[in-house]
Structures are given as structure tokens and as C-alpha cells.
Amino acid sequence: MKESLLDYLVSPDDRQPFELEVRERREGEVWSGALLSRRAGTRYPILKGIPRIVPGVREEADLRRVYADSFGHEWLAYNWLRDEDEPEFRAITDLAPDDVKGLAVLDGGCGGGRVARFLAPKARVYIGIDYSVACERARELCRECPGAHFLQADLCNLPLRGRAFDFVFSHGVIHHTPHPRRAFSHLSRVARPGSRLYLAVFRKTFLPLRIPDLLLRGVLSRLPSPRLDRVCDRLGVLNRLPAPRFWKRFLWFSMQSDPEVRKCCNYDWYGPRYHTEHSVEEVLEWFRQEGFEETRYINAWPYCPPGEKYRVPGLLDSFRLGQLLGVLGRKTDRPAERGPAAYPVATPRG
């Protein structure tokens, strides 16, 4: 951990600055130690160079005992990184990495560094936050970036100063948290007036298609990772069906050409403990309530036809599982209608 990260951190318990306790340094960074909140009486460890601001983590043996363990497995077991990642980022956000030059950037759900590796070198400050141990891989990818920082922390209770970031990015993440609306409120809280926030979440599927999918994921998400790996690998054979796009309306499976990426995508759909879907109107209302303007829908599929990129989808577009919707907005000085604490965290399944 670089000590300059302290300029952006606050305790999630009392919103006060942390005190730093150093046990070991490596290459000029804090490798092990703790962040102390004396008023709240809480202590969060720094393990392997990363602050771990999540409940129940005190030492390395605890790192996988969090609800997002499936994501840690995804990023550490599979190779998600692709040459297409940067052009896809441009397509879904209408932004290029050069657009974040000199800015403070928050990546809300950085995973294993898929976006970090090309945003962090451009940004003045880049902070990647993830609830899983995947942030360890992201940190390794960005070791040479002096302004790159990584946290294992909760998007539903961000340990970050308010109004601190010029660009906030969260793609395909908060629908896997205990309460997406609360997570979005926290992301909004740390955006500066005038800054941009991009969010992508699963778009709501037609209910009769959603029910059997919910039941199937309810079973598969409880499988141990090795068994779920095998299931997700075997789902790859569905790509060989005639007209696979038609069958994907009834049973979700990845159509990626690379077998490894395909298996990863299947795991990402069936493995997470939390899964919610949202309408475009609902997410646009979130932005309005949080004081955003210049808000627009962007199709989060980077290869959509040009005429579909900004067209708000209707009912017929909901007859397919697993679609993402994107929204980009600009933060104003107008206060949010409700603060993050107004949105309780949901109870996990099982």
C-alpha cells in the first residue's frame, strides 16, 4: 500500500481518517500493518500490500471468507484479459483512456485488473476496489503505476472520502452486491460535482424467462468451485447448437469463441451469490435521485449495431437473458434525495 492512499481513505465506521500502523515495508510500500479507527474502535489489516476493509478479515487465512469468493476464484483461476478490453471500454463509455489523463479515477469492482491495466497508467490517481481477493491480481498488473492503489472493500459501504473522484466507473458489478441501490449511492457520494459516472448492470429479462434461470442459478451457485467449473466448461457445448442465439433466450450460456473466456463467462453468470436485474427507467431514476444531469443510456454490448447504441430498449428487447444496460451521467452540486444509509443491505441466500 502506498501511503498516499490515506489521502482518500476514511473509516467506514465513522467517516474519519485512519491512523496507519506499519509492520513491514517492501519496495517503499506498506506490505503489512493495519488501518486504525480509534473513535470507532475498529482495526482493518493490510495484507500483502492491500488494505482489507471487509468484515471478518483479520489475517491471510480469512481472505476467502467473504461473499464474493466466487469472483476471487474467477480472476485467479482464469485468464480474463483480452486485447479487445480497451476498444470495448471505448465503445461502452464513449471515453478513451486518454480522457482520464490527470484525473482521479475510481474503479468500483476492479476484479483482476481488466480495465485497471490501461486506465491506471493514464490517471493521476487510480483506485481499484473489489470485495474479493481478485484485487491482488489487479495490483500485480499495475505495479509500475505510481498512482495506482487497490483495496479489498465493500461497495455498499465505501471507505472513501466524499467528492474525491473525477471519473467513477463500475461495469457489471453492483448487481452482484447485497444491495445495488445502496452501492450506487456510495459511488455517487464520492464523485465530484462536474465529474462523470458510468454504471452498467444487468437489464431486466421478461419474467417468464427469468424464473427458471433464477431456480437454476440458485442450485449452481451453491456448488463447490471445482464442480461449478466443470459444469461451466460443459455448458460450452451449447454453442454447437443450431441457432444458439435463439436457445440462449431460455438458458444462459456464453458464446465467446475462446473456450477459457467462455467458461469464465459461464462461471460469472452462475457462480455469484447475489444477482439482480434492473430496468433502464429504474437506473435513470437512480441517477436523477443522486443529482446527475446529462444522463444517457448507452448499450453496454460493445458490438451492438450503431442504430442500437443509444436506443432505449423496450419490452421485446427483454426476451433474452443476460443483457447489460449502461448509463453515463454528470454529477451536479444538487444534493442526493437520500443518503447511502437509507438503503439497507439485503440478506444473502442460504
Side-chain angles (χ1 to χ4, degrees):
M1 170 192 151
K2 303 176 183 73
E3 290 191 42
S4 57
L5 177 59
L6 289 171
D7 295 338
Y8 290 85
L9 292 180
V10 292
S11 168
D13 306 301
D14 59 10
R15 299 293 160 194
Q16 297 301 308
F18 280 116
E19 294 182 30
L20 176 64
E21 176 187 285
V22 180
R23 289 183 184 173
E24 180 184 359
R25 294 183 186 271
R26 293 188 186 180
E27 299 178 353
E29 297 186 19
V30 179
W31 183 253
S32 67
L35 296 171
L36 309 177
S37 178
R38 297 196 184 277
R39 181 189 294 182
T42 50
R43 182 180 187 276
Y44 296 98
I46 301 168
L47 302 170
K48 298 195 285 188
I50 297 175
R52 315 289 180 155
I53 310 177
V54 290
V57 174
R58 297 183 180 179
E59 54 191 29
E60 289 191 27
D62 300 323
L63 288 179
R64 293 184 177 275
R65 298 173 192 168
V66 294
Y67 74 73
D69 181 51
S70 65
F71 296 106
H73 175 79
E74 282 178 37
W75 282 102
L76 299 179
Y78 307 136
N79 181 17
W80 275 85
L81 306 180
R82 303 172 301 151
D83 293 339
E84 304 96 313
D85 290 338
E86 185 173 333
E88 288 185 0
F89 172 84
R90 292 170 181 256
I92 62 175
T93 63
D94 286 342
L95 300 171
D98 281 346
D99 291 329
V100 306
K101 277 186 176 178
L103 302 185
V105 174
L106 172 65
D107 187 349
C110 64
R114 189 171 173 181
V115 171
R117 62 197 174 110
F118 55 80
L119 286 190
K122 303 287 187 180
R124 173 174 54 85
V125 173
Y126 168 94
I127 295 180
I129 185 168
D130 207 89
Y131 202 96
S132 79
V133 293
C135 55
E136 295 174 9
R137 185 168 184 179
R139 181 181 181 275
E140 287 301 308
L141 287 173
C142 300
R143 290 185 67 179
E144 303 304 316
C145 298
H149 308 271
F150 295 91
L151 292 170
Q152 186 174 358
D154 188 358
L155 291 180
C156 292
N157 197 13
L158 274 177
L160 297 170
R161 294 181 184 274
R163 300 187 169 203
F165 295 91
D166 305 300
F167 177 56
V168 178
F169 173 82
S170 184
H171 183 271
V173 178
I174 71 169
H175 50 226
H176 289 316
T177 66
H179 200 296
R181 181 63 183 88
R182 178 168 176 163
F184 179 72
S185 188
H186 272 279
L187 293 172
S188 169
R189 177 181 60 80
V190 302
R192 283 195 182 106
S195 67
R196 287 175 290 191
L197 187 153
Y198 172 85
L199 178 75
V201 293
F202 284 133
R203 184 155 58 80
K204 191 168 287 185
T205 306
F206 186 55
L207 183 60
L209 298 178
R210 198 160 73 243
I211 290 174
D213 179 69
L214 285 168
L215 295 174
L216 179 59
R217 280 190 291 101
V219 173
L220 295 183
S221 65
R222 289 177 169 84
L223 294 178
S225 291
R227 290 185 64 188
L228 184 55
D229 279 340
R230 292 193 292 271
V231 171
C232 293
D233 189 34
R234 290 167 185 167
L235 283 171
V237 304
L238 296 176
N239 272 8
R240 303 173 189 171
L241 291 170
R245 289 188 182 278
F246 172 79
W247 298 109
K248 193 174 177 178
R249 297 177 184 272
F250 310 102
L251 174 66
W252 196 90
F253 56 92
S254 171
M255 295 178 61
Q256 292 280 347
S257 58
D258 183 280
E260 179 76 358
V261 175
R262 187 164 62 236
K263 182 167 70 169
C264 291
C265 291
N266 290 332
Y267 194 101
D268 186 69
W269 182 262
Y270 291 109
R273 192 175 186 182
Y274 298 95
H275 178 108
T276 57
E277 298 179 5
H278 307 273
S279 69
V280 176
E281 294 74 18
E282 177 187 11
V283 177
L284 288 172
E285 178 63 10
W286 292 358
F287 274 77
R288 187 198 67 77
Q289 291 172 352
E290 294 294 334
F292 285 85
E293 63 181 11
E294 300 175 23
T295 305
R296 69 177 185 271
Y297 165 81
I298 304 179
N299 193 318
W301 180 38
Y303 304 104
C304 70
E308 299 295 307
K309 186 169 183 178
Y310 305 109
R311 181 185 68 83
V312 176
L315 177 62
L316 291 179
D317 299 297
S318 70
F319 283 71
R320 183 176 171 183
L321 294 164
Q323 297 181 88
L324 283 166
L325 69 92
V327 174
L328 181 69
R330 187 178 295 277
K331 183 73 171 176
T332 70
D333 277 318
R334 180 167 61 85
E337 294 182 6
R338 290 190 284 177
Y343 303 100
V345 177
T347 302
R349 293 196 309 267

